[in-house]
Every structure is written in C-alpha cells, then in structure tokens.
Amino acid sequence: MDKIAMLERLQTHLDEVKAAHPTPRFEANKEWVSQICSLLGIPKEGAEMCAQILTHKPPTNLVWLHMAECTGCSESLLRLDKPGLESLIFECISIEYHETIMGAVGFGAKKSLHDGLKKDFILVIEGGVSLGENAYFLTSGAESITGEMECKEAAEQAQAIFAIGTCSSFGGVQAAYPNPTHAKGISSLLKQRVINIPGCPPSETNIIGSLMYYILLKTLPPCDELNRPLWSYGKNLHDLCERRARFEAGDFAQSFDDERLQDGYCLYKVGCKGPYVSNNCPKVKFNAKTSWPVRAGHGCIACSEPDFWDSFGHIEEPLNNANAYITTPKTFKTLPFIHDMNDDLSTETLCLELDTHLPTRIYKTEGENLLHCSFSAHLPILLQNLRGRNKLGARLVENYEQWRKMQPHIESVDSINHAQAEISHNMSDILKLIGEMFGERKPCALDTLKAAQSYLFAHVSKLDI
Ligand code: FSX
Ligand code: SF4
Ligand code: F3S
C-alpha cells in the first residue's frame, strides 16, 4: 500500500470509529504512536489519525492460544516497554484468553475462551500443532480437546489470524528432525489466511507492531512469499547488522575467545547465519531494545527461518557444503542458465543437492548431473591479482595471510609450488567462476551470476573473498 492509500484507509477507518464511538476514552501516548507509525511505514501525517483511532475505538479483543512451544513468544511480548503491556491491555487491547497471564483456571478458563470466541476478536496462535491421527500429541484442558480442533474452532470466527513464533509459523523446534509428534505450522491446518511472525522468539516489537498494523489500518500487512510482513521481515538481517562493515573488510573473529570479537569483528566464521536471514533484529532488538544476539557476541542462528534446526548446519560453524544437510534435493526457483550447453535448458528447474558425503552437484530436475562442481585457483596469482586491485582487496589478502600463518599445517603462500592449486567446493566460488567463464561470450552470464549470488546457501569464499 502506498502512502496516499494508507492515509485514505486511516481516514475511512477513523470516520467509522468516530461515528460509532464519538467520545475519546483516554489520552494516547503520542511518542509511542509516532514510533509505531515510523516502524510500520505509516507517513508522519497519519500519526494524529492513528492516535485518534486508538482513543475512540474500544479495545480490540485478543484470543491467544498456546500449542506446542516453550512460551518464549509470550515472554518476549511481556518485555514490551514504553508503553508496557499493562497499559496496552487497559487502553488498546483486551486480552480475552491467554493461558500464561490470565487468572482463570480449569473449566473457568475454557469458559473464558468460549466467551471470547463469541465476540469480534483477533486470533494469535503460539506453537506448532500435530495433525490427524497424531493430533492427540497435543491435547488441551479437562475436555481433552486436541490442539488441531481448538485452532480450527477459534479460526472460524477470527477477524485476523497471526502465527506468533517460528513454531506456529513453520513448525519450529518440535518439527525438527525426526519430528516425533509430526508437528507443523498452523497454516498447514487452517484454510484461512495466516500472517507469520517467526522468530524463536520474535521480538516484542514485531509481535505488537503486526497486531497494531491490523488494529490501525483494519487490513493485513503486505507480506513476502512466506507470509511474513514486509515492514519487519522485508530486509536481510546481515544488511542491517552493525558488524557489516567488518564483514566487507574481511575482519572476522576467528573464535569466541578472539579479543577482536568485542571490537565489533564479524561473527561469520564463528557461525553467524545473518546473511541468510530476513529479519529486523539489529534495528528493533529485544528486551525493551536492550540488545540482540550478534551485539551480545553470538552469531545469528537463523531462528526465524523455516527448518532452521535442520537446514543451517552447525550453530557455531559457518554454513558450508559439508555441514548443510538438506537430505532431499531441494527445488529452487528456475535459474536462467548456460544457454550454449543446450538452449532448452533455460527453462529447466535446477536443483542443488548438498550432502556431507558427496561433492556438491548441480542437477537438472531429472537428476542428471549437469556439472561437477569444484574448481582450482592458482593461489599465489589469485592473491597477487586481488592485492593489486584496490585497498579492500589488499586488506583481504592481508587478513588471509595472517590467518594462514596461524595454520601450522599449511605452507606459507610464497612457498607454494606453482603447480599446486587450492580446490574449492564452495558454491559461491564455483558459480561465480561459471558466470565469469561465460561472461565474455554470453549475455546470460550476468543472470547466472545473479542467480549464484541469490543461491540459498551462498557462503563467502573460503578465502574470505
Ligand atoms: Fe518458544 Fe514460542 Fe521458540 Fe516456539 O517462541 S521461543 S519454541 S518459536 O513458539 O515459545
Ligand atoms: Fe553481522 Fe553476522 Fe553479517 Fe557478520 S555475518 S555482518 S555478524 S549478520
Ligand atoms: Fe533469531 Fe538471528 Fe534474530 S537468531 S533473534 S533471527 S539475530
């Protein structure tokens, strides 16, 4: 929605609200309203209308269900600050049902749920769900209702549905291999549209911001292909990171006791998965904006991405072809590829198979091995070229040489016999090389290069390039 459409929508909503509720109920906290507006991309001119909508509108009813999870998402929400959750509860949101923070217990609790479902309400579901013949893995209350039934019943009447947390969005920890309870994200059982707010847990800002988007604009936020709101998940985490300049310069902390870790060196080599993540953690942070994982000194573990337990390798090692263990070949979007091998190939879907025991291979859909992916570079010449290229190149070579000196089993660069070469199985190196090989002759090489760079598990080169 562009800015003009947003302002028009706010005006229509405000008119409706004022017609039904002419008297304001309280004084809105203007500073907080402007902060929310700037986060959500609502233009400055809309802040006053937002404040009025909140003060005239009766509190929005919220039903929050717990499924299979650890309650970290609720804990995250409770860290909300300025205003705290308690003032939001009194002013903007009426929590009709939330097992962690409500007073009711037993049959009384279930009665609150059924009373809540009779009103107009927004539904929030935290946690994954087991389905069908496995649904009994998750039963709730004295009536032993399965989580599947409870979610479906609540979703029937909900005005909007939010999956809060990676568990609810994509299955999360209990769906990790071997997934003994056959847990899934809630969109696999609901026919209604679900907005995903992943993160294990998501920040309090991403939770409350998405609810406020609906409360203020009375519509669901624009989302990406995984149904995550663009305002919060539309950018690459690595691009927002405070250590990003260090990454570009090749300044990597080499271990957790490396003193330079505290000087802001990049955490890629100790396992940070930030480059593969769409989330705004560096911007909004956690615990009342105190900090976020990378600032605290640990790499991002991609907790808001689907299948992060299974697909992102070891938590404290960089992702590489050896530790990314997708067990079945994964289909990626169609890649424009090397036309002069066979023109028909341009329409084929290519699969990349990553496996610990096999060299990385690029497949056509049928499984025919298209290219055997490894290449050798003449290291001294490669480094010499890079050093002479520009300041950044020289810095990268310097970093690499320092790293090399610390590896007792590797000979120094100068002593390498010219006949020797370093072999890389790194997909980024290989695809880039393919792009360059075809670059002079074929216009499609640029596309190949782009595809290489957007490849799901593109890693920085093993030479820190
Ligand atoms: Fe826990 Fe929420 Fe992780 Fe899951 O957060 S923090 S296991 S996303 O559902 O409670
Ligand atoms: Fe930040 Fe991680 Fe990217 Fe380094 S790799 S810049 S620590 S997000
Ligand atoms: Fe999760 Fe990474 Fe943010 S681990 S909390 S997505 S920094």
Side-chain angles (χ1 to χ4, degrees):
M1 204 186 314
D2 68 16
K3 290 190 172 178
I4 295 172
M6 240 178 189
L7 291 173
E8 281 172 5
R9 186 167 272 278
L10 282 173
Q11 188 63 59
T12 315
H13 190 198
L14 179 59
D15 293 345
E16 283 169 19
V17 170
K18 272 190 168 171
H21 309 282
T23 322
R25 294 179 296 113
F26 65 99
E27 178 98 15
N29 176 336
K30 296 264 168 68
E31 197 187 329
W32 180 72
V33 174
S34 334
Q35 277 172 16
I36 284 282
C37 288
S38 94
L39 265 177
L40 302 180
I42 297 175
K44 271 193 198 134
E45 309 86 285
E48 181 52 37
M49 283 192 272
C50 290
Q52 289 195 37
I53 289 173
L54 292 178
T55 52
H56 283 265
K57 193 177 185 308
T60 303
N61 299 317
L62 181 72
V63 170
W64 183 300
L65 298 180
H66 285 280
M67 296 292 135
E69 38 81 13
C70 79
T71 307
C73 308
S74 295
E75 286 291 342
S76 183
L77 179 70
L78 293 174
R79 300 297 175 277
L80 198 67
D81 189 36
K82 291 185 192 140
L85 187 64
E86 66 290 353
S87 54
L88 272 186
I89 291 174
F90 287 121
E91 291 164 355
C92 308
I93 293 174
S94 168
I95 301 189
E96 297 295 305
Y97 186 81
H98 188 303
E99 285 160 16
T100 317
I101 56 176
M102 70 188 184
V105 292
F107 289 107
K110 287 297 166 196
K111 183 172 179 314
S112 320
L113 175 59
H114 289 115
D115 291 347
L117 297 185
K118 288 181 195 135
K119 304 178 181 173
D120 286 338
F121 69 96
I122 295 180
L123 177 64
V124 161
I125 301 181
E126 176 177 357
V129 185
S130 309
L131 308 179
E133 58 185 18
N134 300 302
Y136 65 88
F137 278 116
L138 179 62
T139 52
S140 163
E143 294 151 355
S144 293
I145 302 286
T146 64
E148 181 183 16
M149 284 161 73
E150 197 166 64
C151 288
K152 281 183 175 161
E153 186 191 352
E156 210 56 56
Q157 304 301 329
Q159 291 179 318
I161 306 173
F162 295 87
I164 300 288
T166 300
C167 302
S168 183
S169 304
F170 310 124
V173 61
Q174 48 281 309
Y177 182 81
N179 192 356
T181 62
H182 304 267
K184 289 189 171 264
I186 60 161
S187 46
S188 47
L189 71 137
L190 298 181
K191 56 181 190 300
Q192 297 85 348
R193 171 133 194 246
V194 174
I195 301 298
N196 290 327
I197 316 293
C200 190
S203 63
E204 67 274 23
T205 310
N206 286 1
I207 300 173
I208 206 69
S210 298
L211 300 182
M212 291 310 293
Y213 192 101
Y214 182 78
I215 291 171
L216 291 169
L217 288 142
K218 227 178 140 190
T219 185
L220 295 172
C223 290
D224 66 8
E225 71 283 1
L226 294 174
N227 266 327
R228 303 176 292 193
L230 290 175
W231 74 267
S232 40
Y233 299 89
K235 290 200 172 125
N236 176 230
L237 182 139
H238 173 69
D239 288 342
L240 301 172
C241 179
E242 60 221 39
R243 298 182 192 248
R244 177 66 201 258
R246 297 297 197 171
F247 174 95
E248 294 300 336
D251 291 339
F252 297 103
Q254 304 290 341
S255 65
F256 282 106
D257 55 8
D258 185 336
E259 283 168 11
R260 296 171 304 179
L261 189 146
Q262 290 181 21
D263 299 335
Y265 270 44
C266 170
L267 305 179
Y268 186 86
K269 289 208 159 177
V270 287
C272 183
K273 307 298 186 301
Y276 322 111
V277 172
S278 302
N279 205 340
N280 58 358
C281 310
K283 190 173 160 200
V284 301
K285 307 187 179 68
F286 289 76
N287 291 323
K289 301 195 173 51
T290 310
S291 190
W292 68 289
V294 166
R295 176 172 292 183
H298 196 283
C300 166
I301 63 171
C303 80
S304 55
E305 293 296 314
D307 301 329
F308 78 100
W309 293 105
D310 292 334
S311 296
F312 284 86
H314 299 300
I315 282 177
E316 290 173 355
E317 279 178 27
L319 195 58
N320 59 55
N321 298 333
N323 73 15
Y325 41 96
I326 293 172
T327 44
T328 47
K330 217 171 173 168
T331 308
F332 296 96
K333 61 188 172 211
T334 309
L335 304 179
F337 216 61
I338 303 160
H339 293 216
D340 63 348
M341 289 185 76
N342 175 344
D343 278 349
D344 292 339
L345 276 182
S346 57
T347 54
E348 297 277 2
T349 303
L350 288 165
C351 300
L352 303 170
E353 180 177 307
L354 308 173
D355 190 294
T356 21
H357 308 298
L358 294 172
T360 303
R361 289 178 293 179
I362 301 182
Y363 278 106
K364 283 203 290 172
T365 331
E366 299 77 28
E368 181 195 334
N369 194 352
L370 191 61
L371 284 170
H372 199 83
C373 277
S374 66
F375 83 97
S376 48
H378 194 281
L379 190 61
I381 292 178
L382 180 75
L383 294 182
Q384 196 185 336
N385 283 341
L386 194 62
R387 189 187 278 116
R389 214 167 185 185
N390 55 28
K391 249 176 152 179
L392 185 62
R395 180 64 180 275
L396 289 170
V397 173
E398 194 186 308
N399 276 338
Y400 171 70
E401 284 174 343
Q402 268 178 19
W403 170 80
R404 204 172 172 107
K405 271 187 211 140
M406 291 189 297
Q407 315 298 312
H409 56 284
I410 303 183
E411 298 167 81
S412 81
V413 176
D414 297 337
S415 67
I416 291 178
N417 181 320
H418 277 217
Q420 277 187 350
E422 276 239 337
I423 293 180
S424 173
H425 292 280
N426 180 309
M427 288 304 297
S428 292
D429 291 348
I430 294 161
L431 290 171
K432 189 164 188 300
L433 200 77
I434 294 168
E436 278 170 6
M437 279 180 339
F438 288 88
E440 286 171 16
R441 288 183 289 126
K442 284 281 164 188
C444 73
L446 255 188
D447 293 334
T448 310
L449 201 54
K450 265 195 219 144
Q453 281 159 353
S454 64
Y455 160 55
L456 183 63
F457 293 113
H459 343 296
V460 287
S461 155
K462 108 189 199 187
L463 307 181
D464 286 356
I465 297 168

